Amino acid sequence: MNNLSAMSSAARAALEKLQAGNRRYCAARTNDADISESVRARSAREGQTPYAVVIACSDSRVCPEHIFSAGIGELFVIRVAGNVIDRHQLGSVEYATDHLGASLVVVLGHSGCGAIHAAMCEDTSGGYVASITDEIRSAIGAERDDLCACRKNVSHGVDKIIAALGDLTARGIGVVGAIYDTARGTVEFL
């Protein structure tokens, strides 16, 4: 579910940086990413230049900046329950890649996702939550295994991004899926 062969060297470097950051996160007791006053001042003055976009679930246990040991201005994070993709997320991805120079897009699912669980339940309530669970149901079908459903949902998100913004891969921008294990802290790139 990735386009490694089509990725530019910048996208591959971004992926390697995320993988190394996750290894540091798994081994650390504290996050030593640069959040210093000088970095805040520089990013306020010069703007942001994230190397990657991460579309993650809104779950409070899923903090991409921590998971990847990233400091201020390094990641362009889009958070929405179930890491679903719609026009707003697509516009944000387009902005981050076209205007900010991000070279990698990651759809990050996670273990124990409440939105995935809700989508698998037949008795979920309506309201605005239904727009999320309906999208997840379209991705997972009749799947009832949490991890398999999570993988299918992530894959669906990657496919939607590539279908809508197909020129990303033609320009060497990587679009990959990943699963965060909330208990172990590890990220598996798909």
mmCIF file with all atom_site columns, all heavy atoms in Angstrom, residues 133-162:
data_model
loop_
_atom_site.group_PDB
_atom_site.id
_atom_site.type_symbol
_atom_site.label_atom_id
_atom_site.label_alt_id
_atom_site.label_comp_id
_atom_site.label_asym_id
_atom_site.label_entity_id
_atom_site.label_seq_id
_atom_site.pdbx_PDB_ins_code
_atom_site.Cartn_x
_atom_site.Cartn_y
_atom_site.Cartn_z
_atom_site.occupancy
_atom_site.B_iso_or_equiv
_atom_site.pdbx_formal_charge
_atom_site.auth_seq_id
_atom_site.auth_comp_id
_atom_site.auth_asym_id
_atom_site.auth_atom_id
_atom_site.pdbx_PDB_model_num
ATOM 1   N N   . THR A 1 133 ? -18.531 7.325  10.641 1.00 0.00 ? 133 THR A N   1
ATOM 2   C CA  . THR A 1 133 ? -18.717 5.872  10.653 1.00 0.00 ? 133 THR A CA  1
ATOM 3   C C   . THR A 1 133 ? -19.170 5.347  9.289  1.00 0.00 ? 133 THR A C   1
ATOM 4   O O   . THR A 1 133 ? -18.765 4.252  8.892  1.00 0.00 ? 133 THR A O   1
ATOM 5   C CB  . THR A 1 133 ? -19.692 5.432  11.761 1.00 0.00 ? 133 THR A CB  1
ATOM 6   O OG1 . THR A 1 133 ? -20.926 6.143  11.621 1.00 0.00 ? 133 THR A OG1 1
ATOM 7   C CG2 . THR A 1 133 ? -19.091 5.683  13.138 1.00 0.00 ? 133 THR A CG2 1
ATOM 8   N N   . ASP A 1 134 ? -19.960 6.122  8.556  1.00 0.00 ? 134 ASP A N   1
ATOM 9   C CA  . ASP A 1 134 ? -20.367 5.699  7.216  1.00 0.00 ? 134 ASP A CA  1
ATOM 10  C C   . ASP A 1 134 ? -19.157 5.607  6.283  1.00 0.00 ? 134 ASP A C   1
ATOM 11  O O   . ASP A 1 134 ? -19.043 4.671  5.488  1.00 0.00 ? 134 ASP A O   1
ATOM 12  C CB  . ASP A 1 134 ? -21.392 6.669  6.617  1.00 0.00 ? 134 ASP A CB  1
ATOM 13  C CG  . ASP A 1 134 ? -22.762 6.570  7.265  1.00 0.00 ? 134 ASP A CG  1
ATOM 14  O OD1 . ASP A 1 134 ? -23.000 5.627  8.058  1.00 0.00 ? 134 ASP A OD1 1
ATOM 15  O OD2 . ASP A 1 134 ? -23.599 7.464  6.999  1.00 0.00 ? 134 ASP A OD2 1
ATOM 16  N N   . GLU A 1 135 ? -18.256 6.569  6.389  1.00 0.00 ? 135 GLU A N   1
ATOM 17  C CA  . GLU A 1 135 ? -17.044 6.546  5.558  1.00 0.00 ? 135 GLU A CA  1
ATOM 18  C C   . GLU A 1 135 ? -16.178 5.339  5.915  1.00 0.00 ? 135 GLU A C   1
ATOM 19  O O   . GLU A 1 135 ? -15.650 4.662  5.035  1.00 0.00 ? 135 GLU A O   1
ATOM 20  C CB  . GLU A 1 135 ? -16.255 7.845  5.738  1.00 0.00 ? 135 GLU A CB  1
ATOM 21  C CG  . GLU A 1 135 ? -14.979 7.918  4.932  1.00 0.00 ? 135 GLU A CG  1
ATOM 22  C CD  . GLU A 1 135 ? -15.167 7.907  3.425  1.00 0.00 ? 135 GLU A CD  1
ATOM 23  O OE1 . GLU A 1 135 ? -16.262 8.256  2.934  1.00 0.00 ? 135 GLU A OE1 1
ATOM 24  O OE2 . GLU A 1 135 ? -14.204 7.543  2.724  1.00 0.00 ? 135 GLU A OE2 1
ATOM 25  N N   . ILE A 1 136 ? -16.033 5.075  7.200  1.00 0.00 ? 136 ILE A N   1
ATOM 26  C CA  . ILE A 1 136 ? -15.237 3.917  7.629  1.00 0.00 ? 136 ILE A CA  1
ATOM 27  C C   . ILE A 1 136 ? -15.889 2.625  7.165  1.00 0.00 ? 136 ILE A C   1
ATOM 28  O O   . ILE A 1 136 ? -15.208 1.718  6.667  1.00 0.00 ? 136 ILE A O   1
ATOM 29  C CB  . ILE A 1 136 ? -15.013 3.935  9.154  1.00 0.00 ? 136 ILE A CB  1
ATOM 30  C CG1 . ILE A 1 136 ? -14.135 5.126  9.543  1.00 0.00 ? 136 ILE A CG1 1
ATOM 31  C CG2 . ILE A 1 136 ? -14.383 2.624  9.620  1.00 0.00 ? 136 ILE A CG2 1
ATOM 32  C CD1 . ILE A 1 136 ? -14.027 5.378  11.035 1.00 0.00 ? 136 ILE A CD1 1
ATOM 33  N N   . ARG A 1 137 ? -17.216 2.529  7.289  1.00 0.00 ? 137 ARG A N   1
ATOM 34  C CA  . ARG A 1 137 ? -17.920 1.323  6.824  1.00 0.00 ? 137 ARG A CA  1
ATOM 35  C C   . ARG A 1 137 ? -17.687 1.087  5.337  1.00 0.00 ? 137 ARG A C   1
ATOM 36  O O   . ARG A 1 137 ? -17.537 -0.056 4.906  1.00 0.00 ? 137 ARG A O   1
ATOM 37  C CB  . ARG A 1 137 ? -19.416 1.432  7.099  1.00 0.00 ? 137 ARG A CB  1
ATOM 38  C CG  . ARG A 1 137 ? -19.800 1.106  8.507  1.00 0.00 ? 137 ARG A CG  1
ATOM 39  C CD  . ARG A 1 137 ? -21.321 1.011  8.680  1.00 0.00 ? 137 ARG A CD  1
ATOM 40  N NE  . ARG A 1 137 ? -21.619 1.096  10.083 1.00 0.00 ? 137 ARG A NE  1
ATOM 41  C CZ  . ARG A 1 137 ? -22.125 2.167  10.687 1.00 0.00 ? 137 ARG A CZ  1
ATOM 42  N NH1 . ARG A 1 137 ? -22.442 3.244  10.004 1.00 0.00 ? 137 ARG A NH1 1
ATOM 43  N NH2 . ARG A 1 137 ? -22.341 2.159  11.996 1.00 0.00 ? 137 ARG A NH2 1
ATOM 44  N N   . SER A 1 138 ? -17.652 2.174  4.555  1.00 0.00 ? 138 SER A N   1
ATOM 45  C CA  . SER A 1 138 ? -17.400 1.995  3.119  1.00 0.00 ? 138 SER A CA  1
ATOM 46  C C   . SER A 1 138 ? -15.995 1.460  2.873  1.00 0.00 ? 138 SER A C   1
ATOM 47  O O   . SER A 1 138 ? -15.742 0.798  1.870  1.00 0.00 ? 138 SER A O   1
ATOM 48  C CB  . SER A 1 138 ? -17.633 3.307  2.360  1.00 0.00 ? 138 SER A CB  1
ATOM 49  O OG  . SER A 1 138 ? -16.578 4.222  2.585  1.00 0.00 ? 138 SER A OG  1
ATOM 50  N N   . ALA A 1 139 ? -15.084 1.716  3.795  1.00 0.00 ? 139 ALA A N   1
ATOM 51  C CA  . ALA A 1 139 ? -13.706 1.240  3.658  1.00 0.00 ? 139 ALA A CA  1
ATOM 52  C C   . ALA A 1 139 ? -13.535 -0.193 4.141  1.00 0.00 ? 139 ALA A C   1
ATOM 53  O O   . ALA A 1 139 ? -12.783 -0.961 3.550  1.00 0.00 ? 139 ALA A O   1
ATOM 54  C CB  . ALA A 1 139 ? -12.763 2.152  4.446  1.00 0.00 ? 139 ALA A CB  1
ATOM 55  N N   . ILE A 1 140 ? -14.235 -0.560 5.215  1.00 0.00 ? 140 ILE A N   1
ATOM 56  C CA  . ILE A 1 140 ? -13.970 -1.858 5.849  1.00 0.00 ? 140 ILE A CA  1
ATOM 57  C C   . ILE A 1 140 ? -14.962 -2.943 5.480  1.00 0.00 ? 140 ILE A C   1
ATOM 58  O O   . ILE A 1 140 ? -14.716 -4.122 5.732  1.00 0.00 ? 140 ILE A O   1
ATOM 59  C CB  . ILE A 1 140 ? -13.884 -1.720 7.384  1.00 0.00 ? 140 ILE A CB  1
ATOM 60  C CG1 . ILE A 1 140 ? -15.240 -1.365 7.991  1.00 0.00 ? 140 ILE A CG1 1
ATOM 61  C CG2 . ILE A 1 140 ? -12.809 -0.722 7.771  1.00 0.00 ? 140 ILE A CG2 1
ATOM 62  C CD1 . ILE A 1 140 ? -15.276 -1.413 9.517  1.00 0.00 ? 140 ILE A CD1 1
ATOM 63  N N   . GLY A 1 141 ? -16.092 -2.569 4.900  1.00 0.00 ? 141 GLY A N   1
ATOM 64  C CA  . GLY A 1 141 ? -17.095 -3.565 4.537  1.00 0.00 ? 141 GLY A CA  1
ATOM 65  C C   . GLY A 1 141 ? -17.560 -4.350 5.741  1.00 0.00 ? 141 GLY A C   1
ATOM 66  O O   . GLY A 1 141 ? -17.849 -3.786 6.792  1.00 0.00 ? 141 GLY A O   1
ATOM 67  N N   . ALA A 1 142 ? -17.563 -5.670 5.632  1.00 0.00 ? 142 ALA A N   1
ATOM 68  C CA  . ALA A 1 142 ? -18.056 -6.549 6.694  1.00 0.00 ? 142 ALA A CA  1
ATOM 69  C C   . ALA A 1 142 ? -16.954 -6.977 7.666  1.00 0.00 ? 142 ALA A C   1
ATOM 70  O O   . ALA A 1 142 ? -17.190 -7.832 8.518  1.00 0.00 ? 142 ALA A O   1
ATOM 71  C CB  . ALA A 1 142 ? -18.705 -7.784 6.076  1.00 0.00 ? 142 ALA A CB  1
ATOM 72  N N   . GLU A 1 143 ? -15.779 -6.388 7.560  1.00 0.00 ? 143 GLU A N   1
ATOM 73  C CA  . GLU A 1 143 ? -14.648 -6.760 8.432  1.00 0.00 ? 143 GLU A CA  1
ATOM 74  C C   . GLU A 1 143 ? -15.022 -6.562 9.894  1.00 0.00 ? 143 GLU A C   1
ATOM 75  O O   . GLU A 1 143 ? -15.595 -5.551 10.270 1.00 0.00 ? 143 GLU A O   1
ATOM 76  C CB  . GLU A 1 143 ? -13.419 -5.914 8.096  1.00 0.00 ? 143 GLU A CB  1
ATOM 77  C CG  . GLU A 1 143 ? -12.186 -6.286 8.878  1.00 0.00 ? 143 GLU A CG  1
ATOM 78  C CD  . GLU A 1 143 ? -11.743 -7.709 8.624  1.00 0.00 ? 143 GLU A CD  1
ATOM 79  O OE1 . GLU A 1 143 ? -11.423 -8.039 7.466  1.00 0.00 ? 143 GLU A OE1 1
ATOM 80  O OE2 . GLU A 1 143 ? -11.712 -8.488 9.597  1.00 0.00 ? 143 GLU A OE2 1
ATOM 81  N N   . ARG A 1 144 ? -14.678 -7.531 10.756 1.00 0.00 ? 144 ARG A N   1
ATOM 82  C CA  . ARG A 1 144 ? -14.982 -7.439 12.180 1.00 0.00 ? 144 ARG A CA  1
ATOM 83  C C   . ARG A 1 144 ? -13.748 -7.584 13.067 1.00 0.00 ? 144 ARG A C   1
ATOM 84  O O   . ARG A 1 144 ? -13.840 -7.541 14.274 1.00 0.00 ? 144 ARG A O   1
ATOM 85  C CB  . ARG A 1 144 ? -16.029 -8.488 12.578 1.00 0.00 ? 144 ARG A CB  1
ATOM 86  C CG  . ARG A 1 144 ? -17.411 -8.199 11.996 1.00 0.00 ? 144 ARG A CG  1
ATOM 87  C CD  . ARG A 1 144 ? -17.935 -6.860 12.514 1.00 0.00 ? 144 ARG A CD  1
ATOM 88  N NE  . ARG A 1 144 ? -19.185 -6.455 11.935 1.00 0.00 ? 144 ARG A NE  1
ATOM 89  C CZ  . ARG A 1 144 ? -19.334 -5.469 11.046 1.00 0.00 ? 144 ARG A CZ  1
ATOM 90  N NH1 . ARG A 1 144 ? -18.291 -4.809 10.607 1.00 0.00 ? 144 ARG A NH1 1
ATOM 91  N NH2 . ARG A 1 144 ? -20.511 -5.137 10.591 1.00 0.00 ? 144 ARG A NH2 1
ATOM 92  N N   . ASP A 1 145 ? -12.591 -7.743 12.469 1.00 0.00 ? 145 ASP A N   1
ATOM 93  C CA  . ASP A 1 145 ? -11.343 -7.766 13.231 1.00 0.00 ? 145 ASP A CA  1
ATOM 94  C C   . ASP A 1 145 ? -10.815 -6.334 13.294 1.00 0.00 ? 145 ASP A C   1
ATOM 95  O O   . ASP A 1 145 ? -10.642 -5.686 12.261 1.00 0.00 ? 145 ASP A O   1
ATOM 96  C CB  . ASP A 1 145 ? -10.325 -8.683 12.548 1.00 0.00 ? 145 ASP A CB  1
ATOM 97  C CG  . ASP A 1 145 ? -9.002  -8.670 13.255 1.00 0.00 ? 145 ASP A CG  1
ATOM 98  O OD1 . ASP A 1 145 ? -8.829  -9.446 14.218 1.00 0.00 ? 145 ASP A OD1 1
ATOM 99  O OD2 . ASP A 1 145 ? -8.126  -7.859 12.854 1.00 0.00 ? 145 ASP A OD2 1
ATOM 100 N N   . ASP A 1 146 ? -10.578 -5.838 14.521 1.00 0.00 ? 146 ASP A N   1
ATOM 101 C CA  . ASP A 1 146 ? -10.166 -4.439 14.702 1.00 0.00 ? 146 ASP A CA  1
ATOM 102 C C   . ASP A 1 146 ? -8.954  -4.059 13.875 1.00 0.00 ? 146 ASP A C   1
ATOM 103 O O   . ASP A 1 146 ? -8.955  -3.041 13.182 1.00 0.00 ? 146 ASP A O   1
ATOM 104 C CB  . ASP A 1 146 ? -9.869  -4.142 16.184 1.00 0.00 ? 146 ASP A CB  1
ATOM 105 C CG  . ASP A 1 146 ? -11.117 -3.981 17.022 1.00 0.00 ? 146 ASP A CG  1
ATOM 106 O OD1 . ASP A 1 146 ? -12.166 -3.631 16.470 1.00 0.00 ? 146 ASP A OD1 1
ATOM 107 O OD2 . ASP A 1 146 ? -11.025 -4.201 18.243 1.00 0.00 ? 146 ASP A OD2 1
ATOM 108 N N   . LEU A 1 147 ? -7.886  -4.854 13.952 1.00 0.00 ? 147 LEU A N   1
ATOM 109 C CA  . LEU A 1 147 ? -6.656  -4.511 13.245 1.00 0.00 ? 147 LEU A CA  1
ATOM 110 C C   . LEU A 1 147 ? -6.826  -4.588 11.734 1.00 0.00 ? 147 LEU A C   1
ATOM 111 O O   . LEU A 1 147 ? -6.361  -3.706 11.004 1.00 0.00 ? 147 LEU A O   1
ATOM 112 C CB  . LEU A 1 147 ? -5.492  -5.396 13.698 1.00 0.00 ? 147 LEU A CB  1
ATOM 113 C CG  . LEU A 1 147 ? -4.129  -5.024 13.138 1.00 0.00 ? 147 LEU A CG  1
ATOM 114 C CD1 . LEU A 1 147 ? -3.766  -3.563 13.435 1.00 0.00 ? 147 LEU A CD1 1
ATOM 115 C CD2 . LEU A 1 147 ? -3.059  -5.956 13.692 1.00 0.00 ? 147 LEU A CD2 1
ATOM 116 N N   . CYS A 1 148 ? -7.512  -5.614 11.262 1.00 0.00 ? 148 CYS A N   1
ATOM 117 C CA  . CYS A 1 148 ? -7.767  -5.722 9.820  1.00 0.00 ? 148 CYS A CA  1
ATOM 118 C C   . CYS A 1 148 ? -8.621  -4.551 9.333  1.00 0.00 ? 148 CYS A C   1
ATOM 119 O O   . CYS A 1 148 ? -8.373  -3.993 8.261  1.00 0.00 ? 148 CYS A O   1
ATOM 120 C CB  . CYS A 1 148 ? -8.440  -7.048 9.482  1.00 0.00 ? 148 CYS A CB  1
ATOM 121 S SG  . CYS A 1 148 ? -7.357  -8.471 9.660  1.00 0.00 ? 148 CYS A SG  1
ATOM 122 N N   . ALA A 1 149 ? -9.616  -4.178 10.132 1.00 0.00 ? 149 ALA A N   1
ATOM 123 C CA  . ALA A 1 149 ? -10.467 -3.041 9.774  1.00 0.00 ? 149 ALA A CA  1
ATOM 124 C C   . ALA A 1 149 ? -9.649  -1.756 9.736  1.00 0.00 ? 149 ALA A C   1
ATOM 125 O O   . ALA A 1 149 ? -9.812  -0.928 8.834  1.00 0.00 ? 149 ALA A O   1
ATOM 126 C CB  . ALA A 1 149 ? -11.627 -2.917 10.759 1.00 0.00 ? 149 ALA A CB  1
ATOM 127 N N   . CYS A 1 150 ? -8.764  -1.596 10.704 1.00 0.00 ? 150 CYS A N   1
ATOM 128 C CA  . CYS A 1 150 ? -7.904  -0.413 10.739 1.00 0.00 ? 150 CYS A CA  1
ATOM 129 C C   . CYS A 1 150 ? -7.036  -0.345 9.485  1.00 0.00 ? 150 CYS A C   1
ATOM 130 O O   . CYS A 1 150 ? -6.910  0.708  8.857  1.00 0.00 ? 150 CYS A O   1
ATOM 131 C CB  . CYS A 1 150 ? -7.046  -0.442 12.001 1.00 0.00 ? 150 CYS A CB  1
ATOM 132 S SG  . CYS A 1 150 ? -6.006  1.018  12.196 1.00 0.00 ? 150 CYS A SG  1
ATOM 133 N N   . ARG A 1 151 ? -6.442  -1.467 9.114  1.00 0.00 ? 151 ARG A N   1
ATOM 134 C CA  . ARG A 1 151 ? -5.598  -1.518 7.907  1.00 0.00 ? 151 ARG A CA  1
ATOM 135 C C   . ARG A 1 151 ? -6.411  -1.158 6.656  1.00 0.00 ? 151 ARG A C   1
ATOM 136 O O   . ARG A 1 151 ? -5.941  -0.418 5.804  1.00 0.00 ? 151 ARG A O   1
ATOM 137 C CB  . ARG A 1 151 ? -4.980  -2.899 7.734  1.00 0.00 ? 151 ARG A CB  1
ATOM 138 C CG  . ARG A 1 151 ? -3.879  -3.202 8.715  1.00 0.00 ? 151 ARG A CG  1
ATOM 139 C CD  . ARG A 1 151 ? -3.393  -4.653 8.524  1.00 0.00 ? 151 ARG A CD  1
ATOM 140 N NE  . ARG A 1 151 ? -2.432  -5.012 9.516  1.00 0.00 ? 151 ARG A NE  1
ATOM 141 C CZ  . ARG A 1 151 ? -1.136  -4.743 9.443  1.00 0.00 ? 151 ARG A CZ  1
ATOM 142 N NH1 . ARG A 1 151 ? -0.663  -4.122 8.397  1.00 0.00 ? 151 ARG A NH1 1
ATOM 143 N NH2 . ARG A 1 151 ? -0.321  -5.110 10.408 1.00 0.00 ? 151 ARG A NH2 1
ATOM 144 N N   . LYS A 1 152 ? -7.621  -1.724 6.563  1.00 0.00 ? 152 LYS A N   1
ATOM 145 C CA  . LYS A 1 152 ? -8.471  -1.432 5.406  1.00 0.00 ? 152 LYS A CA  1
ATOM 146 C C   . LYS A 1 152 ? -8.830  0.053  5.359  1.00 0.00 ? 152 LYS A C   1
ATOM 147 O O   . LYS A 1 152 ? -8.852  0.658  4.290  1.00 0.00 ? 152 LYS A O   1
ATOM 148 C CB  . LYS A 1 152 ? -9.745  -2.284 5.439  1.00 0.00 ? 152 LYS A CB  1
ATOM 149 C CG  . LYS A 1 152 ? -9.522  -3.723 5.050  1.00 0.00 ? 152 LYS A CG  1
ATOM 150 C CD  . LYS A 1 152 ? -10.839 -4.491 5.047  1.00 0.00 ? 152 LYS A CD  1
ATOM 151 C CE  . LYS A 1 152 ? -10.623 -5.898 4.528  1.00 0.00 ? 152 LYS A CE  1
ATOM 152 N NZ  . LYS A 1 152 ? -11.886 -6.625 4.388  1.00 0.00 ? 152 LYS A NZ  1
ATOM 153 N N   . ASN A 1 153 ? -9.122  0.626  6.517  1.00 0.00 ? 153 ASN A N   1
ATOM 154 C CA  . ASN A 1 153 ? -9.473  2.044  6.573  1.00 0.00 ? 153 ASN A CA  1
ATOM 155 C C   . ASN A 1 153 ? -8.289  2.918  6.147  1.00 0.00 ? 153 ASN A C   1
ATOM 156 O O   . ASN A 1 153 ? -8.452  3.880  5.400  1.00 0.00 ? 153 ASN A O   1
ATOM 157 C CB  . ASN A 1 153 ? -9.950  2.412  7.980  1.00 0.00 ? 153 ASN A CB  1
ATOM 158 C CG  . ASN A 1 153 ? -10.516 3.805  8.039  1.00 0.00 ? 153 ASN A CG  1
ATOM 159 O OD1 . ASN A 1 153 ? -11.386 4.172  7.254  1.00 0.00 ? 153 ASN A OD1 1
ATOM 160 N ND2 . ASN A 1 153 ? -10.026 4.585  8.976  1.00 0.00 ? 153 ASN A ND2 1
ATOM 161 N N   . VAL A 1 154 ? -7.099  2.584  6.623  1.00 0.00 ? 154 VAL A N   1
ATOM 162 C CA  . VAL A 1 154 ? -5.896  3.328  6.229  1.00 0.00 ? 154 VAL A CA  1
ATOM 163 C C   . VAL A 1 154 ? -5.664  3.197  4.728  1.00 0.00 ? 154 VAL A C   1
ATOM 164 O O   . VAL A 1 154 ? -5.415  4.182  4.036  1.00 0.00 ? 154 VAL A O   1
ATOM 165 C CB  . VAL A 1 154 ? -4.668  2.844  7.039  1.00 0.00 ? 154 VAL A CB  1
ATOM 166 C CG1 . VAL A 1 154 ? -3.375  3.345  6.418  1.00 0.00 ? 154 VAL A CG1 1
ATOM 167 C CG2 . VAL A 1 154 ? -4.778  3.303  8.488  1.00 0.00 ? 154 VAL A CG2 1
ATOM 168 N N   . SER A 1 155 ? -5.757  1.977  4.218  1.00 0.00 ? 155 SER A N   1
ATOM 169 C CA  . SER A 1 155 ? -5.566  1.735  2.786  1.00 0.00 ? 155 SER A CA  1
ATOM 170 C C   . SER A 1 155 ? -6.567  2.533  1.955  1.00 0.00 ? 155 SER A C   1
ATOM 171 O O   . SER A 1 155 ? -6.216  3.119  0.918  1.00 0.00 ? 155 SER A O   1
ATOM 172 C CB  . SER A 1 155 ? -5.714  0.241  2.494  1.00 0.00 ? 155 SER A CB  1
ATOM 173 O OG  . SER A 1 155 ? -5.575  -0.020 1.128  1.00 0.00 ? 155 SER A OG  1
ATOM 174 N N   . HIS A 1 156 ? -7.800  2.575  2.430  1.00 0.00 ? 156 HIS A N   1
ATOM 175 C CA  . HIS A 1 156 ? -8.848  3.348  1.752  1.00 0.00 ? 156 HIS A CA  1
ATOM 176 C C   . HIS A 1 156 ? -8.474  4.832  1.712  1.00 0.00 ? 156 HIS A C   1
ATOM 177 O O   . HIS A 1 156 ? -8.640  5.501  0.683  1.00 0.00 ? 156 HIS A O   1
ATOM 178 C CB  . HIS A 1 156 ? -10.178 3.134  2.486  1.00 0.00 ? 156 HIS A CB  1
ATOM 179 C CG  . HIS A 1 156 ? -11.336 3.869  1.916  1.00 0.00 ? 156 HIS A CG  1
ATOM 180 N ND1 . HIS A 1 156 ? -11.929 3.533  0.718  1.00 0.00 ? 156 HIS A ND1 1
ATOM 181 C CD2 . HIS A 1 156 ? -12.032 4.938  2.396  1.00 0.00 ? 156 HIS A CD2 1
ATOM 182 C CE1 . HIS A 1 156 ? -12.933 4.358  0.480  1.00 0.00 ? 156 HIS A CE1 1
ATOM 183 N NE2 . HIS A 1 156 ? -13.020 5.222  1.482  1.00 0.00 ? 156 HIS A NE2 1
ATOM 184 N N   . GLY A 1 157 ? -7.952  5.348  2.828  1.00 0.00 ? 157 GLY A N   1
ATOM 185 C CA  . GLY A 1 157 ? -7.526  6.746  2.874  1.00 0.00 ? 157 GLY A CA  1
ATOM 186 C C   . GLY A 1 157 ? -6.395  7.042  1.906  1.00 0.00 ? 157 GLY A C   1
ATOM 187 O O   . GLY A 1 157 ? -6.402  8.051  1.193  1.00 0.00 ? 157 GLY A O   1
ATOM 188 N N   . VAL A 1 158 ? -5.409  6.147  1.859  1.00 0.00 ? 158 VAL A N   1
ATOM 189 C CA  . VAL A 1 158 ? -4.296  6.308  0.918  1.00 0.00 ? 158 VAL A CA  1
ATOM 190 C C   . VAL A 1 158 ? -4.827  6.312  -0.514 1.00 0.00 ? 158 VAL A C   1
ATOM 191 O O   . VAL A 1 158 ? -4.457  7.175  -1.326 1.00 0.00 ? 158 VAL A O   1
ATOM 192 C CB  . VAL A 1 158 ? -3.242  5.197  1.112  1.00 0.00 ? 158 VAL A CB  1
ATOM 193 C CG1 . VAL A 1 158 ? -2.243  5.166  -0.035 1.00 0.00 ? 158 VAL A CG1 1
ATOM 194 C CG2 . VAL A 1 158 ? -2.521  5.370  2.449  1.00 0.00 ? 158 VAL A CG2 1
ATOM 195 N N   . ASP A 1 159 ? -5.702  5.357  -0.822 1.00 0.00 ? 159 ASP A N   1
ATOM 196 C CA  . ASP A 1 159 ? -6.278  5.275  -2.169 1.00 0.00 ? 159 ASP A CA  1
ATOM 197 C C   . ASP A 1 159 ? -7.053  6.528  -2.528 1.00 0.00 ? 159 ASP A C   1
ATOM 198 O O   . ASP A 1 159 ? -6.970  7.019  -3.669 1.00 0.00 ? 159 ASP A O   1
ATOM 199 C CB  . ASP A 1 159 ? -7.184  4.049  -2.299 1.00 0.00 ? 159 ASP A CB  1
ATOM 200 C CG  . ASP A 1 159 ? -6.424  2.732  -2.246 1.00 0.00 ? 159 ASP A CG  1
ATOM 201 O OD1 . ASP A 1 159 ? -5.172  2.739  -2.391 1.00 0.00 ? 159 ASP A OD1 1
ATOM 202 O OD2 . ASP A 1 159 ? -7.080  1.687  -2.049 1.00 0.00 ? 159 ASP A OD2 1
ATOM 203 N N   . LYS A 1 160 ? -7.806  7.079  -1.574 1.00 0.00 ? 160 LYS A N   1
ATOM 204 C CA  . LYS A 1 160 ? -8.569  8.311  -1.842 1.00 0.00 ? 160 LYS A CA  1
ATOM 205 C C   . LYS A 1 160 ? -7.642  9.485  -2.148 1.00 0.00 ? 160 LYS A C   1
ATOM 206 O O   . LYS A 1 160 ? -7.913  10.283 -3.042 1.00 0.00 ? 160 LYS A O   1
ATOM 207 C CB  . LYS A 1 160 ? -9.474  8.663  -0.651 1.00 0.00 ? 160 LYS A CB  1
ATOM 208 C CG  . LYS A 1 160 ? -10.782 7.919  -0.631 1.00 0.00 ? 160 LYS A CG  1
ATOM 209 C CD  . LYS A 1 160 ? -11.684 8.400  0.466  1.00 0.00 ? 160 LYS A CD  1
ATOM 210 C CE  . LYS A 1 160 ? -12.533 9.555  -0.018 1.00 0.00 ? 160 LYS A CE  1
ATOM 211 N NZ  . LYS A 1 160 ? -13.660 9.847  0.890  1.00 0.00 ? 160 LYS A NZ  1
ATOM 212 N N   . ILE A 1 161 ? -6.558  9.595  -1.399 1.00 0.00 ? 161 ILE A N   1
ATOM 213 C CA  . ILE A 1 161 ? -5.614  10.686 -1.633 1.00 0.00 ? 161 ILE A CA  1
ATOM 214 C C   . ILE A 1 161 ? -4.985  10.544 -3.011 1.00 0.00 ? 161 ILE A C   1
ATOM 215 O O   . ILE A 1 161 ? -4.917  11.515 -3.779 1.00 0.00 ? 161 ILE A O   1
ATOM 216 C CB  . ILE A 1 161 ? -4.535  10.723 -0.530 1.00 0.00 ? 161 ILE A CB  1
ATOM 217 C CG1 . ILE A 1 161 ? -5.165  11.134 0.799  1.00 0.00 ? 161 ILE A CG1 1
ATOM 218 C CG2 . ILE A 1 161 ? -3.396  11.681 -0.910 1.00 0.00 ? 161 ILE A CG2 1
ATOM 219 C CD1 . ILE A 1 161 ? -4.264  10.925 1.998  1.00 0.00 ? 161 ILE A CD1 1
ATOM 220 N N   . ILE A 1 162 ? -4.550  9.353  -3.345 1.00 0.00 ? 162 ILE A N   1
ATOM 221 C CA  . ILE A 1 162 ? -3.905  9.136  -4.651 1.00 0.00 ? 162 ILE A CA  1
ATOM 222 C C   . ILE A 1 162 ? -4.892  9.377  -5.787 1.00 0.00 ? 162 ILE A C   1
ATOM 223 O O   . ILE A 1 162 ? -4.542  9.987  -6.797 1.00 0.00 ? 162 ILE A O   1
ATOM 224 C CB  . ILE A 1 162 ? -3.269  7.737  -4.715 1.00 0.00 ? 162 ILE A CB  1
ATOM 225 C CG1 . ILE A 1 162 ? -2.061  7.691  -3.760 1.00 0.00 ? 162 ILE A CG1 1
ATOM 226 C CG2 . ILE A 1 162 ? -2.858  7.383  -6.140 1.00 0.00 ? 162 ILE A CG2 1
ATOM 227 C CD1 . ILE A 1 162 ? -1.459  6.320  -3.567 1.00 0.00 ? 162 ILE A CD1 1
#
